[in-house]
Each structure stands twice: as structure tokens, then as C-alpha cells.
Amino acid sequence: MSNPPKAAYGSWKSPITADLIVAGTIGLSQIGLDGPNIYWLEMRPSEGGRYALMHREASGGITELTPAPYNTRTRVHEYGGGAFRVKDGTAYFSNFADQRLYKVAPDSVLTAITPESAYRFADSVIDTARNLLICVREDHTDPNREAVNTIVSIKLDGSGEQRELVAGSDFYSAPRLSPDGSQLAWLSWNHPNMPWDGTELWLGEVQTDGTVSKVEKVAGGLSESVFQPEWSPDGNLHFVSDQSGWWNIYRWQNGEAMALCPMEAEFGLPQWVFGLSTYGFEAENQLICLYEQSDGWKLARLDTTSGPTSGKLETFALPYTEMGDLQISDGIAAFIGGSPTEAPALVRLDLASGKHEVLRRSSELNIDTGYVSPAQPIEFPTTGGLTAYGYYYPPKNADYNAPEGQFPPLLVKSHGGPTSATSTSLNLGIQFWTSRGIAVLDVNYGGSTGYGRAYRQRLNGQWGIVDVDDCVNGALYLAQKGLADRQRLAIDGGSAGGYTTLCALTFKDVFAAGASRYGVSDLETLAQDTHKFESRYLDSMIGPYPAQKELYYQRSPIHFTDKLACSLILFQGLEDKVVPPSQSVQMFEAVKAKGLPVAYLPFEGEQHGFRQAKNIKRTLEAELYFYSKIFGFELADPIEPVDIENL
């Protein structure tokens, strides 16, 4: 259209509808390689958020190994990850409903290998020589105590007999067997640390009967985060450590740890889930790795020989700024890659030729670029003379222009975690807003990963302050630049991002509206009523509880609704074990009693993070409807109304 009509921001008609998003989008995660065979998980909103284990043969044929009602997902740490392992054509996986382990091979019957119990399993490795599966086990047999985590072996002879190999720490991850089966490496950590604060890398000898002895600590400690132990083909142990201030790759050899490519870049990730992988081995002295710098993620080949080429890093020319779940086998690399113009996809790379092909896309939707607003990295000044980061998405719709003199509403997005980071990959959930004339700022506030340990630790003791300041300062920065309407600023977020949202709305007078998805409103309740993995997380983010009880009170929005003077909509899953529904209900009742516009939408059957298509659709549309009423713009399409109190 040569001269698009003028229409108010927020009222533009967009082809990127909630129906389109939920019908045409799946989640891709956890890649596994077994020779030339590729395996991965697909999360399908259209099937209630079920995770299906998929298999692609070398010939290109694709089959689903876990048909409904099987759901390949573990509940260890509640967030899961590391839900399957494949060896010699047989897949071993955790089923969500009963948390039992099963095995399946192509054209074979699914068979349970553990009995019904209160055990959960994750992050396995197969000991072929001893016919064992070694994994992390989480014991929930006693409801009157905290769950107990150990590393166990499970016999694969049909008996399912289990044996504890390593115990005594609060948490374990990444048991990894040496190529000859003689040594086992693993990570452990204890309360109150989270794995990105401090972990320990241990090494033990595996005896003929499968037990582990002669245990020694290799690396790590209370203030060193170790990530992804991995063995090279010639039996040298490698790992990622942030001892330099950045997650870099090290090799353990002759009793010493040597940095293979020291640089100000992140080769690691926060272990929110099991099974994360950023490197693997092409050959004994050739390592394929992912690393992140300010301009995004890169895939590279690292020479680990001891000669003049040692530490040489050669990047592959790829069109992706976001990459993860890297696996290497038989001359290929498989990973999930995305960019500002391409949604995440399962990618296969031939390491010899450098040629890549997309095997599966998270979205097959072909969205015209006239409706796509690519991520624009920005830096902006924040409290204390520091710099914060984010991605700005201006409104974009080829069919419309805005009236002269108008500025767009701005939606600030606060990611979860809070120790996490936002993504540069094409996200139709963001384009839903920008294609309707609403600008978006996705903030990597202090505490986010990707910028080194010091940036990550900005949030220590400052949760609810640093993150809020960065979101506020980012919004004001764009408004001052003439890129957003100062009177129509909104903020949303889920989980920890929901807490940041509620704090920003309560303690700051900047945003006119906000949306919290399963967000924390009462820190004291969270400290007393959450799952083991995060039960001491707040020790570092706020302070030890109950010693710092008053600080928990002062940082909890629920106690200061008298300061809140803007509109709020809350979304909550009723089966959430991480942030209980009572948190959202209390906030709703308090805001309602104050006479402010407020809405509360609970969802049956949803846990922490919405996975069902109908609920994802309802959440998107309800938030848009809410802002249209608060900011006063007309909707281009009919949307099911939301019951807004006090409007």
C-alpha cells in the first residue's frame, strides 16, 4: 500500500492474531544425538502443552516416539529438563503424569523401567558396559521433609533396581561418564546457593559393580559457578567455570584446570533446567562451542591442542543470533537457532562443509516482513551511573501510519528468573503487540545473564530494586527519545518478572498499567511456601530468612497497595507449585478494595508457565483488551471481554 491510512496506535488490525500464534507455534527443546539420528522434544500448546519425543533418522524420516498421553517431562526441581537420553537406538525418558522412567525404540513397545513411586528422575547417562542408567533422583516419599536429591544407578536388566552412588549434598546435576566408563564426573551445590552462584565439580572412580569411590573435588566452590562437565573422546574432563568473571571453558588435566580460550564472553548458562549444553567434541582436539557477547550468540570451532594454534576460535557463518541445546556427533552439530527475523528452529550443521539446514521450525507461519519489528539492541543509563541493556521493538504494520504528533504506548517486558535473559529470536508474542501499534522494550536488567558474573550479581540483595530501576529507566529513556508516550507506559512479566512488574507498579509512579502472570506479591509467603530448588534463592536476592524478615516485608508489594495508583491485570495457574495462587488472589483483593481498575483470570490445569493453547490465547487477548480500556484505544477485532473491577 503506497499511502497507508492513519490510525491510532493500538488500533491497527494485525494478521498476527492469538489464534494464529497458538495454532502455528510449538516449543523446541533438548536435542539428543545417537550417531546420525537426531532426537528432540516438541511442546505442543494444541495438545495441552504435552511434550512429544521426536526422532529423525539419517534418511530424513521423522517419527514420534511418545504418542499421547505420554508426556516427556520431568518434575525434578519442578522446572525439569534432561528428560530423556538415547543410546544405541533406545530412548529412556521420564513421563510427566507418573514420573516413572520408560524406554522405547523405533517400532517397539513403550516399557516402564521404574515402578510407581514418589521418585523423580532427570539428567541421565547410560553406562553400557554395566547395563546401567545413571541419573539424578529426587525423593518425595516423605511429605514431612524436604525432597532428597542423589545420584543413582538403575539396572536396565528389567528389574529396575536402584542404587545410590552419590549423596549428601542438597542438589546434583550432570552426572557424566568417561569414555572408558572408569570415571564419573558430576556437579553438586548446597543451600542457599543456586547453581549460578556456586557449584562444585566432583570426580570419582567407578568400580566393577558400578559403585563410586576415591572421590575428589576438581573445581568450584561457594563463589564459583561450574557448568556442563564433559569428556573429550580421549578421556580428558572439560567444564565451564566463571572463576574469571565470565563463563569460560577449562580442561582438567594432570591435576590442574587450564582455560582453553579465556575471553570476556559467556560459554555457559544459568542451570534453571537440566541438560543444558553449549559445547561438544568434534574430535580429540577439536571442540565445537557456543558463546555469547554483546552482539549475540556465535557457534565456533575451538582448537585445544598445545601447539601454536591452541585456543584458536573459528566462527561459523550462520544467520542466527540466538543458539542453544548444542549437540555434536558423527561430523554434525545440531542446535536450536533463531534470529530477530526467524523463530527458533532445529538446525543441522555439517561441520566439514559448514552448510546448515532447518529440520523443524517452532513456527511454520510465513509472516510478511511488513508486520515484523526486528529486535534492536539498546543500552541506556540507569541508577548509580550504570548501564543496563534491552531490546527495543518499534511499532510496525505496513497497512498503517500513526497520526502526526502521537507517540505509541510502550509495553516493558520483564523476563523471569530473575537470573535469566531475554531472547533476540523472532517472538510472535512480541509481534502481536508491535503489529498493533504498541512499542515493546524487553529488558535485560541487572541480574540478567550474558554480561558476566559482575552484572549477574548486581541483583544480589537488591531484587525489587535494581530490576525495577532498570525497567523504569528503560521506559523513561524511550519516552525521552520520543519513542513512547510517557502517559501510556505499561509493564508485564511472569514469575520473577511478575514480581518486578508488581514492584514497579507499587513503588514507582511511572507506569499507568501492568500485567502480572503468576507473579510474586508476598516474598515472605514465597520463602515459606515454595519448592526445594528455590526455597533459599531469596537468601541471595533479598537476605537470609527469617533474620531479614523486615526486609522481606518492605520489598513485598502486597503490603504497600496504598502506594499503588494504576491499573492491574493478573493471570494465574491454579496448579502452580512455584508461586501459589494465593499470591495473585491477595493482590487482586487488595487492589480491588482500593478502588483501582483490576482484573484476575485464574486457569484450571495450568502450572508455572502457561502451556495450553486456549489459555495462551486468552492471556494475550485479555491483556490487550485491558490496555485498550485503560489507554483508550479502539480494538481492530472483537475480543472476549474481561471483567474489570472498578472501571
Side-chain angles (χ1 to χ4, degrees):
M1 188 177 294
S2 59
N3 188 23
K6 289 182 169 58
Y9 288 115
S11 65
W12 300 350
K13 187 175 180 63
S14 170
I16 305 174
T17 64
D19 281 318
L20 187 76
I21 292 172
V22 298
T25 304
I26 59 171
L28 298 171
S29 62
Q30 196 187 339
I31 300 170
L33 297 183
D34 185 33
N37 294 278
I38 301 177
Y39 300 78
W40 70 94
L41 292 181
E42 291 185 4
M43 192 281 287
R44 300 171 178 170
S46 61
E47 297 182 28
R50 186 178 75 87
Y51 286 75
L53 176 56
M54 307 300 294
H55 170 221
R56 183 185 188 271
E57 302 172 31
S59 61
I62 295 178
T63 56
E64 180 180 336
L65 295 180
T66 55
Y70 290 100
N71 186 355
T72 310
R73 183 177 161 209
T74 176
R75 288 189 60 187
V76 179
H77 293 179
E78 293 299 340
Y79 294 108
F84 76 89
R85 177 71 65 179
V86 183
K87 185 73 171 179
D88 299 329
T90 299
Y92 304 85
F93 70 94
S94 176
N95 183 49
F96 182 72
D98 55 14
Q99 288 299 292
R100 298 172 71 183
L101 287 176
Y102 291 76
K103 69 175 182 178
V104 62
D107 304 319
S108 70
V109 177
L110 279 159
T111 306
I113 60 174
T114 57
E116 293 184 6
S117 69
Y119 292 145
R120 304 173 183 179
F121 308 93
D123 212 3
S124 62
V125 63
I126 307 300
D127 183 349
T128 306
R130 302 174 186 84
N131 200 28
L132 299 172
L133 181 148
I134 300 171
C135 65
V136 175
R137 185 181 73 185
E138 192 170 79
D139 179 354
H140 291 260
T141 54
D142 187 349
N144 297 314
R145 71 176 186 193
E146 186 176 64
V148 177
N149 294 63
T150 54
I151 294 177
V152 301
S153 65
I154 302 172
K155 287 187 176 180
L156 298 176
D157 59 3
S159 68
E161 181 183 329
Q162 300 175 29
R163 170 189 275 175
E164 282 190 3
L165 302 181
V166 184
S169 293
D170 291 325
F171 300 98
Y172 294 96
S173 71
R176 297 295 180 260
L177 200 61
S178 62
D180 64 2
S182 67
Q183 298 180 91
L184 184 73
W186 67 90
L187 298 177
S188 69
W189 65 99
N190 291 297
H191 288 313
N193 264 1
M194 299 299 284
W196 46 84
D197 297 322
T199 53
E200 296 177 340
L201 172 60
W202 294 85
L203 187 61
E205 292 186 9
V206 184
Q207 305 304 309
T208 305
D209 64 355
T211 56
V212 177
S213 64
K214 299 181 180 179
V215 172
E216 64 171 322
K217 189 176 82 168
V218 168
L222 293 177
S223 57
E224 177 187 352
S225 173
V226 181
F227 169 84
Q228 195 190 344
E230 210 74 63
W231 297 89
S232 62
D234 57 348
N236 284 314
L237 180 61
H238 293 67
F239 59 94
V240 174
S241 167
D242 71 350
Q243 61 179 266
S244 70
W246 297 84
W247 270 315
N248 281 192
I249 300 177
Y250 292 77
R251 177 171 58 211
W252 175 257
Q253 199 168 16
N254 301 322
E256 293 183 353
M258 180 178 72
L260 299 182
C261 185
M263 58 192 292
E264 291 189 353
E266 298 283 48
F267 290 78
L269 293 164
Q271 294 182 74
W272 276 106
V273 297
F274 293 99
L276 296 173
S277 175
T278 58
Y279 72 96
F281 293 91
E282 180 182 19
E284 288 185 0
N285 296 311
Q286 296 289 339
L287 185 149
I288 305 298
C289 58
L290 294 170
Y291 66 95
E292 183 183 19
Q293 291 181 307
S294 59
D295 55 348
W297 285 89
K298 297 178 180 67
L299 179 69
R301 178 182 281 114
L302 176 62
D303 188 328
T304 65
T305 57
S306 57
T309 60
S310 179
K312 184 180 179 182
L313 200 64
E314 292 182 308
T315 59
F316 290 88
L318 293 166
Y320 304 107
T321 56
E322 199 83 25
M323 289 177 277
D325 291 289
L326 177 67
Q327 296 291 332
I328 311 296
S329 177
D330 286 18
I332 67 167
F335 59 89
I336 295 170
S339 76
T341 56
E342 185 173 346
L346 173 63
V347 181
R348 179 188 185 277
L349 172 70
D350 185 288
L351 293 171
S353 68
K355 294 181 179 179
H356 73 281
E357 61 175 324
V358 172
L359 305 182
R360 186 79 165 103
R361 298 184 187 277
S362 61
S363 174
E364 296 291 347
L365 301 174
N366 186 18
I367 306 296
D368 189 297
T369 56
Y371 305 101
V372 174
S373 179
Q376 300 180 13
I378 66 166
E379 300 180 8
F380 53 89
T382 191
T383 306
L386 300 173
T387 297
Y389 306 90
Y391 296 98
Y392 167 61
Y393 298 82
K396 186 177 179 183
N397 186 316
D399 299 334
Y400 298 95
N401 282 323
E404 293 179 9
Q406 281 194 12
F407 301 108
L410 174 70
L411 177 59
V412 173
K413 288 193 164 290
S414 173
H415 66 69
T419 309
S420 182
T422 188
S423 168
T424 58
S425 293
L426 177 65
N427 181 341
L428 294 182
I430 287 177
Q431 306 303 320
F432 175 85
W433 300 103
T434 57
S435 61
R436 285 169 171 76
I438 298 172
V440 171
L441 173 61
D442 210 353
V443 183
N444 271 332
Y445 48 77
S448 301
T449 50
Y451 306 92
R453 186 178 178 97
Y455 192 83
R456 197 165 76 239
Q457 291 189 321
R458 279 190 193 178
L459 211 55
N460 284 9
Q462 299 295 309
W463 192 29
I465 296 176
V466 165
D467 48 324
V468 171
D469 283 350
D470 289 354
C471 288
V472 164
N473 289 325
L476 293 176
Y477 174 80
L478 292 179
Q480 291 161 3
K481 292 281 188 182
L483 300 174
D485 185 342
R486 174 64 182 85
Q487 304 307 313
R488 295 192 293 171
L489 303 178
I491 181 170
D492 77 5
S495 189
Y499 170 69
T500 301
T501 293
L502 294 173
C503 284
L505 297 175
T506 302
F507 300 120
K508 301 290 184 178
D509 186 21
V510 172
F511 297 102
S516 168
R517 296 185 303 279
Y518 36 90
V520 179
S521 63
D522 186 340
L523 291 174
E524 189 173 1
T525 299
L526 181 68
Q528 296 172 333
D529 185 21
T530 192
H531 58 125
K532 178 185 177 182
F533 180 61
E534 291 185 271
S535 63
R536 300 288 299 279
Y537 189 14
L538 299 189
D539 282 29
S540 63
M541 309 304 286
I542 304 293
Y545 183 86
Q548 297 291 327
K549 185 173 181 177
E550 178 61 23
L551 193 56
Y552 279 67
Y553 181 91
Q554 294 295 329
R555 298 267 186 92
S556 296
I558 190 64
H559 303 308
F560 299 95
T561 52
D562 59 305
K563 296 184 177 183
L564 198 151
C566 57
S567 306
L568 173 64
I569 185 169
L570 302 115
F571 304 97
Q572 178 70 47
L574 294 180
E575 294 184 17
D576 195 332
K577 303 298 183 186
V578 179
V579 178
S582 59
Q583 297 259 329
S584 291
V585 172
Q586 285 181 329
M587 199 71 193
F588 168 70
E589 294 295 344
V591 178
K592 177 183 173 183
K594 195 177 179 190
L596 293 166
V598 63
Y600 172 58
L601 278 73
F603 296 100
E604 293 279 356
E606 287 287 12
Q607 297 162 350
H608 197 66
F610 298 160
R611 294 176 174 84
Q612 298 180 35
K614 62 180 181 179
N615 298 334
I616 296 171
K617 165 185 162 67
R618 179 59 173 153
T619 302
L620 265 175
E621 292 185 341
E623 188 175 351
L624 176 62
Y625 179 92
F626 186 76
Y627 294 149
S628 75
K629 296 302 182 186
I630 303 304
F631 292 148
F633 57 80
E634 295 292 328
L635 294 172
D637 299 298
I639 288 178
E640 180 185 346
V642 175
D643 184 12
I644 305 173
E645 302 283 348
N646 303 322
L647 187 65

PDB file of all heavy atoms in Angstrom, residues 151-166:
ATOM      1  N   ILE A 151      22.460 -38.981  43.316  1.00  0.00           N
ATOM      2  CA  ILE A 151      22.760 -39.592  42.018  1.00  0.00           C
ATOM      3  C   ILE A 151      22.654 -41.094  42.202  1.00  0.00           C
ATOM      4  O   ILE A 151      23.234 -41.654  43.144  1.00  0.00           O
ATOM      5  CB  ILE A 151      24.160 -39.194  41.513  1.00  0.00           C
ATOM      6  CG1 ILE A 151      24.198 -37.696  41.203  1.00  0.00           C
ATOM      7  CG2 ILE A 151      24.526 -39.989  40.257  1.00  0.00           C
ATOM      8  CD1 ILE A 151      25.563 -37.188  40.768  1.00  0.00           C
ATOM      9  N   VAL A 152      21.900 -41.739  41.339  1.00  0.00           N
ATOM     10  CA  VAL A 152      21.647 -43.174  41.477  1.00  0.00           C
ATOM     11  C   VAL A 152      21.937 -43.887  40.165  1.00  0.00           C
ATOM     12  O   VAL A 152      21.993 -43.266  39.098  1.00  0.00           O
ATOM     13  CB  VAL A 152      20.180 -43.460  41.887  1.00  0.00           C
ATOM     14  CG1 VAL A 152      19.842 -42.790  43.201  1.00  0.00           C
ATOM     15  CG2 VAL A 152      19.210 -43.031  40.792  1.00  0.00           C
ATOM     16  N   SER A 153      22.096 -45.189  40.273  1.00  0.00           N
ATOM     17  CA  SER A 153      22.138 -46.053  39.087  1.00  0.00           C
ATOM     18  C   SER A 153      20.883 -46.914  39.086  1.00  0.00           C
ATOM     19  O   SER A 153      20.357 -47.270  40.149  1.00  0.00           O
ATOM     20  CB  SER A 153      23.390 -46.931  39.075  1.00  0.00           C
ATOM     21  OG  SER A 153      23.360 -47.853  40.156  1.00  0.00           O
ATOM     22  N   ILE A 154      20.393 -47.210  37.896  1.00  0.00           N
ATOM     23  CA  ILE A 154      19.199 -48.047  37.729  1.00  0.00           C
ATOM     24  C   ILE A 154      19.548 -49.178  36.778  1.00  0.00           C
ATOM     25  O   ILE A 154      20.023 -48.937  35.658  1.00  0.00           O
ATOM     26  CB  ILE A 154      18.024 -47.224  37.172  1.00  0.00           C
ATOM     27  CG1 ILE A 154      17.712 -46.048  38.107  1.00  0.00           C
ATOM     28  CG2 ILE A 154      16.788 -48.102  36.982  1.00  0.00           C
ATOM     29  CD1 ILE A 154      16.699 -45.071  37.537  1.00  0.00           C
ATOM     30  N   LYS A 155      19.332 -50.401  37.217  1.00  0.00           N
ATOM     31  CA  LYS A 155      19.618 -51.548  36.363  1.00  0.00           C
ATOM     32  C   LYS A 155      18.657 -51.586  35.175  1.00  0.00           C
ATOM     33  O   LYS A 155      17.461 -51.366  35.330  1.00  0.00           O
ATOM     34  CB  LYS A 155      19.516 -52.847  37.158  1.00  0.00           C
ATOM     35  CG  LYS A 155      20.667 -53.070  38.130  1.00  0.00           C
ATOM     36  CD  LYS A 155      20.599 -54.454  38.755  1.00  0.00           C
ATOM     37  CE  LYS A 155      21.808 -54.715  39.649  1.00  0.00           C
ATOM     38  NZ  LYS A 155      21.748 -56.075  40.259  1.00  0.00           N
ATOM     39  N   LEU A 156      19.200 -51.882  34.003  1.00  0.00           N
ATOM     40  CA  LEU A 156      18.392 -51.964  32.790  1.00  0.00           C
ATOM     41  C   LEU A 156      18.128 -53.405  32.377  1.00  0.00           C
ATOM     42  O   LEU A 156      17.827 -53.691  31.223  1.00  0.00           O
ATOM     43  CB  LEU A 156      19.096 -51.207  31.648  1.00  0.00           C
ATOM     44  CG  LEU A 156      19.289 -49.703  31.891  1.00  0.00           C
ATOM     45  CD1 LEU A 156      20.074 -49.071  30.752  1.00  0.00           C
ATOM     46  CD2 LEU A 156      17.946 -49.003  32.068  1.00  0.00           C
ATOM     47  N   ASP A 157      18.236 -54.310  33.355  1.00  0.00           N
ATOM     48  CA  ASP A 157      18.002 -55.730  33.070  1.00  0.00           C
ATOM     49  C   ASP A 157      16.541 -56.132  33.231  1.00  0.00           C
ATOM     50  O   ASP A 157      16.190 -57.310  33.145  1.00  0.00           O
ATOM     51  CB  ASP A 157      18.870 -56.597  33.980  1.00  0.00           C
ATOM     52  CG  ASP A 157      18.584 -56.355  35.466  1.00  0.00           C
ATOM     53  OD1 ASP A 157      17.670 -55.556  35.787  1.00  0.00           O
ATOM     54  OD2 ASP A 157      19.281 -56.956  36.314  1.00  0.00           O
ATOM     55  N   GLY A 158      15.689 -55.134  33.494  1.00  0.00           N
ATOM     56  CA  GLY A 158      14.274 -55.421  33.699  1.00  0.00           C
ATOM     57  C   GLY A 158      13.860 -55.356  35.148  1.00  0.00           C
ATOM     58  O   GLY A 158      12.674 -55.236  35.457  1.00  0.00           O
ATOM     59  N   SER A 159      14.818 -55.397  36.054  1.00  0.00           N
ATOM     60  CA  SER A 159      14.485 -55.357  37.482  1.00  0.00           C
ATOM     61  C   SER A 159      14.213 -53.931  37.964  1.00  0.00           C
ATOM     62  O   SER A 159      13.465 -53.730  38.922  1.00  0.00           O
ATOM     63  CB  SER A 159      15.625 -55.965  38.306  1.00  0.00           C
ATOM     64  OG  SER A 159      16.782 -55.134  38.260  1.00  0.00           O
ATOM     65  N   GLY A 160      14.849 -52.947  37.335  1.00  0.00           N
ATOM     66  CA  GLY A 160      14.688 -51.562  37.759  1.00  0.00           C
ATOM     67  C   GLY A 160      15.337 -51.256  39.098  1.00  0.00           C
ATOM     68  O   GLY A 160      15.073 -50.214  39.701  1.00  0.00           O
ATOM     69  N   GLU A 161      16.204 -52.154  39.572  1.00  0.00           N
ATOM     70  CA  GLU A 161      16.843 -51.975  40.877  1.00  0.00           C
ATOM     71  C   GLU A 161      17.664 -50.690  40.901  1.00  0.00           C
ATOM     72  O   GLU A 161      18.428 -50.405  39.975  1.00  0.00           O
ATOM     73  CB  GLU A 161      17.745 -53.171  41.175  1.00  0.00           C
ATOM     74  CG  GLU A 161      18.449 -53.098  42.515  1.00  0.00           C
ATOM     75  CD  GLU A 161      19.384 -54.276  42.736  1.00  0.00           C
ATOM     76  OE1 GLU A 161      19.087 -55.378  42.222  1.00  0.00           O
ATOM     77  OE2 GLU A 161      20.421 -54.076  43.418  1.00  0.00           O
ATOM     78  N   GLN A 162      17.519 -49.920  41.991  1.00  0.00           N
ATOM     79  CA  GLN A 162      18.199 -48.632  42.106  1.00  0.00           C
ATOM     80  C   GLN A 162      19.226 -48.674  43.224  1.00  0.00           C
ATOM     81  O   GLN A 162      19.023 -49.303  44.258  1.00  0.00           O
ATOM     82  CB  GLN A 162      17.177 -47.523  42.386  1.00  0.00           C
ATOM     83  CG  GLN A 162      16.126 -47.379  41.293  1.00  0.00           C
ATOM     84  CD  GLN A 162      15.052 -46.366  41.630  1.00  0.00           C
ATOM     85  OE1 GLN A 162      15.296 -45.405  42.350  1.00  0.00           O
ATOM     86  NE2 GLN A 162      13.839 -46.581  41.107  1.00  0.00           N
ATOM     87  N   ARG A 163      20.332 -47.959  42.994  1.00  0.00           N
ATOM     88  CA  ARG A 163      21.387 -47.888  43.995  1.00  0.00           C
ATOM     89  C   ARG A 163      21.913 -46.460  44.069  1.00  0.00           C
ATOM     90  O   ARG A 163      22.225 -45.849  43.050  1.00  0.00           O
ATOM     91  CB  ARG A 163      22.523 -48.836  43.642  1.00  0.00           C
ATOM     92  CG  ARG A 163      23.769 -48.657  44.513  1.00  0.00           C
ATOM     93  CD  ARG A 163      24.940 -49.457  43.997  1.00  0.00           C
ATOM     94  NE  ARG A 163      24.916 -50.828  44.489  1.00  0.00           N
ATOM     95  CZ  ARG A 163      25.775 -51.772  44.109  1.00  0.00           C
ATOM     96  NH1 ARG A 163      26.693 -51.492  43.204  1.00  0.00           N
ATOM     97  NH2 ARG A 163      25.686 -52.990  44.615  1.00  0.00           N
ATOM     98  N   GLU A 164      22.026 -45.932  45.306  1.00  0.00           N
ATOM     99  CA  GLU A 164      22.606 -44.605  45.483  1.00  0.00           C
ATOM    100  C   GLU A 164      24.103 -44.663  45.226  1.00  0.00           C
ATOM    101  O   GLU A 164      24.812 -45.489  45.790  1.00  0.00           O
ATOM    102  CB  GLU A 164      22.350 -44.083  46.899  1.00  0.00           C
ATOM    103  CG  GLU A 164      20.952 -43.559  47.119  1.00  0.00           C
ATOM    104  CD  GLU A 164      20.831 -42.834  48.467  1.00  0.00           C
ATOM    105  OE1 GLU A 164      21.847 -42.701  49.171  1.00  0.00           O
ATOM    106  OE2 GLU A 164      19.706 -42.412  48.810  1.00  0.00           O
ATOM    107  N   LEU A 165      24.582 -43.757  44.374  1.00  0.00           N
ATOM    108  CA  LEU A 165      26.009 -43.671  44.087  1.00  0.00           C
ATOM    109  C   LEU A 165      26.652 -42.487  44.797  1.00  0.00           C
ATOM    110  O   LEU A 165      27.787 -42.587  45.265  1.00  0.00           O
ATOM    111  CB  LEU A 165      26.237 -43.531  42.573  1.00  0.00           C
ATOM    112  CG  LEU A 165      25.677 -44.639  41.678  1.00  0.00           C
ATOM    113  CD1 LEU A 165      26.011 -44.344  40.228  1.00  0.00           C
ATOM    114  CD2 LEU A 165      26.217 -45.996  42.097  1.00  0.00           C
ATOM    115  N   VAL A 166      25.931 -41.367  44.828  1.00  0.00           N
ATOM    116  CA  VAL A 166      26.449 -40.149  45.439  1.00  0.00           C
ATOM    117  C   VAL A 166      25.319 -39.500  46.228  1.00  0.00           C
ATOM    118  O   VAL A 166      24.215 -39.344  45.719  1.00  0.00           O
ATOM    119  CB  VAL A 166      26.974 -39.152  44.383  1.00  0.00           C
ATOM    120  CG1 VAL A 166      27.585 -37.935  45.064  1.00  0.00           C
ATOM    121  CG2 VAL A 166      27.989 -39.811  43.461  1.00  0.00           C
TER     122      VAL A 166
END
